[in-house]
Amino acid sequence: MNETALELQLFENLKPELTSFCYRMLGSIDDADDAVQETFIRVWQSWHSFRLESSFKTWVYRIASNLAVGLAHK
């Protein structure tokens, strides 16, 4: 399995629980789906900056949390 496929699989494994997390923060399934998609884009764009100082899951949740807070304040 190449690195890109592994990255995609890691994110796909988190997607259901990440959607639930975003739903609890935003209160709308449509907004939660949008937040998860935007999180995926930001993870993909920032993959080179992931330093393994925390787990992949923690890093993704931090991105999603920051994104959801920003969306909630709009």
Side-chain angles (χ1 to χ4, degrees), residues 4-62:
T4 302
L6 180 60
E7 295 164 12
L8 285 170
Q9 189 59 46
L10 285 171
F11 190 82
E12 284 298 319
N13 290 343
L14 287 177
K15 204 169 185 179
E17 64 184 90
L18 194 59
T19 301
S20 178
F21 173 76
C22 289
Y23 175 74
R24 287 191 307 272
M25 291 188 73
L26 297 168
S28 162
I29 193 63
D30 292 331
D31 289 345
D33 287 338
D34 290 345
V36 170
Q37 184 63 32
E38 183 63 30
T39 298
F40 176 76
I41 291 168
R42 290 181 186 196
V43 165
W44 188 263
Q45 291 173 339
S46 304
W47 182 254
H48 65 279
S49 68
F50 177 52
R51 295 185 178 86
L52 300 172
E53 294 171 356
S54 63
S55 73
F56 176 76
K57 182 177 179 177
T58 300
W59 183 64
V60 171
Y61 268 76
R62 179 175 290 142

